[in-house]
Every structure is written in structure tokens, then in C-alpha cells.
Amino acid sequence: NAGVMQNPRHLVRRRGQEARLRCSPMKGHSHVYWYRQLPEEGLKFMVYLQKENIIDESGMPKERFSAEFPKEGPSILRIQQVVRGDSAAYFCASSREAGNTIYFGEGSWLTVV
Amino acid sequence: TQLLEQSPQFLSIQEGENLTVYCNSSSVFSSLQWYRQEPGEGPVLLVTVVTGGEVKKLKRLTFQFGDARKDSSLHITAAQPGDTGLYLCAGGSQGGKLIFGQGTELSVKP
């Protein structure tokens, strides 16, 4: 009964490079959420996706950030031209239906040097 | 904009003491979830409460959802060093996403 799987767990990128974070939801879950946790801050909602659709992207920065959840395969959070301020823990979560209990993955820690 | 205010932000107590963490909002939530997060790990779900006035117990932890579904509390009885961690409350919306409080960093000293 695998939980939400995220990879990589740790990622180091130089400024200007691209970061791709992957998330496989729990079995039977078709709703995926991405959250960011900056040092000394709480979890901030970024984007909510259902298979092939973005439901709510109100927390996504306007530039450089994008997310997808294709029909097949994991959800991807993509950060282009990373800057030091992007260094954070990025958490993926999933639920069976909207409004159901949400379960989190172990997180992906991005460090931009 | 829905906001959740969590208090206290930091709490340091001795083993055996009781404590309560509060989570308050001016908004109504469809559900309220409590998580615990260890350093370097993801939040782990402790409980979900959905009904106004609901009380759930998990061993030494008691969770309560306010009658109006705007606030919640977590009470720990006879705290142990193993309870040390970051406790997060999160409100669920009909739209699906969770709104998190700032978290309470609990330290229980032996």
C-alpha cells in the first residue's frame, strides 16, 4: 500500500538551470496537490491538478513555474531558470476525491546554488 | 482569503505536562486536518474532523472541531519526548485544497 511517492528527495541546481520534481499519487487517487515550504515558514498551496487538468493554480508564481498531471505517469512540477529564492521543500499530496483527506509525500528538497 | 491562525507558535514543556494547541479562523471549513511533521519528512496525518462539535481521541491526543467549524484544538495529555515535532492544522475547502496554519513547534524535555 504505497503512499505518495516523490522524487528526487534532494536536488541541487545552479542558478538558471531547470528543476523537475515528480510525484506519483497513492493508488486510486486522481487528485494531486503541490505545496511549498520555505525555511521557517508554513506550507503554502501552489497548485491542484486532476488527471490532465489544472483545477486551481492560484498559488503558483506567475513565471517560471508550471505543473502537469498527464493521463499516464506522474505529476511534474517544473521550475525553469531557478533562483536562490526557489530553495525550499516541495511537497506533493493526493486525495481520492476533492474534499477527501489529503495524504502527503516525503517531499523534495531543492537547493539552488 | 481563508486564513488559519495557529497558536502558540513555539511550546517547550516538561515530560508529563499537558498542552493545548489552537487553530482559529474567521472562515468556515468543510473539514479540519491535523498533521505532525518531523524534520526532513513530509506531514503525517493524525486526524480529520468534519462535523461541528466533533471530538476525536487518539491515545493521549484529543482533537476538537468547533461547533461553527471555524476553529479546532489539539490537546495532549502527559506529553512525552516522543511527542516533540511540528504540529500543523489545515482547513479543507470545497474546492479541494488545504489551507495551513503556521504550525506549532513542540519540544518536550525529559
Side-chain angles (χ1 to χ4, degrees), chain B:
Chain B
T1 303
Q2 292 179 303
L3 290 173
L4 268 173
E5 296 289 333
Q6 196 171 335
S7 63
Q9 194 172 349
F10 300 97
L11 191 54
S12 181
I13 61 172
Q14 293 295 130
E15 182 176 1
E17 292 184 4
N18 301 332
L19 67 112
T20 303
V21 178
Y22 298 94
C23 191
N24 296 294
S25 176
S26 57
S27 304
V28 175
F29 290 98
S30 59
S31 65
L32 204 297
Q33 301 180 27
W34 284 90
Y35 293 84
R36 180 178 159 188
Q37 186 179 17
E38 303 281 353
E41 304 290 335
V44 175
L45 180 70
L46 295 174
V47 79
T48 300
V49 285
V50 296
T51 305
E54 183 176 3
V55 176
K56 280 192 175 179
K57 289 181 185 269
L58 188 68
K59 297 183 180 177
R60 292 177 295 102
L61 278 61
T62 302
F63 305 85
Q64 185 163 8
F65 201 11
D67 291 340
R69 291 188 289 133
K70 292 182 179 181
D71 55 88
S72 181
S73 63
L74 158 61
H75 183 78
I76 301 179
T77 304
Q80 299 175 1
D83 295 328
T84 293
L86 178 66
Y87 290 82
L88 297 159
C89 66
S93 63
Q94 294 296 342
K97 70 186 184 189
L98 288 177
I99 306 297
F100 277 85
Q102 308 96 308
T104 295
E105 192 72 56
L106 173 64
S107 173
V108 182
K109 300 187 186 332

Side-chain angles (χ1 to χ4, degrees), chain A residues 9 33 35 37 40-45 48 55-56 58-59 91 95 98-107 109, chain B residues 9-10 30-31 33 35 37 39-45 48 86 88 93-103:
Chain A
R9 289 295 313 278
Y33 313 81
Y35 285 79
Q37 190 173 38
E40 307 303 325
E41 290 189 19
L43 283 151
K44 302 295 184 189
F45 169 78
Y48 163 30
I55 307 300
D56 182 345
S58 57
F91 291 97
S95 66
N100 279 187
T101 297
I102 294 175
Y103 297 89
F104 281 81
E106 296 278 278
W109 267 256
Chain B
Q9 194 172 349
F10 300 97
S30 59
S31 65
Q33 301 180 27
Y35 293 84
Q37 186 179 17
E41 304 290 335
V44 175
L45 180 70
T48 300
L86 178 66
L88 297 159
S93 63
Q94 294 296 342
K97 70 186 184 189
L98 288 177
I99 306 297
F100 277 85
Q102 308 96 308

Side-chain angles (χ1 to χ4, degrees), chain A residues 49-98:
Chain A
L49 311 103
Q50 203 179 351
K51 282 287 187 181
E52 299 185 277
N53 291 306
I54 295 175
I55 307 300
D56 182 345
E57 56 182 348
S58 57
M60 286 281 269
K62 293 287 185 273
E63 297 175 346
R64 303 187 297 107
F65 285 71
S66 62
E68 62 176 11
F69 189 16
K71 188 176 179 181
E72 301 291 336
S75 174
I76 307 284
L77 179 67
R78 181 182 178 205
I79 311 172
Q80 295 177 288
Q81 299 172 341
V82 295
V83 300
R84 288 225 171 103
D86 296 333
S87 295
Y90 291 83
F91 291 97
C92 174
S94 72
S95 66
R96 188 176 298 276
E97 299 287 346

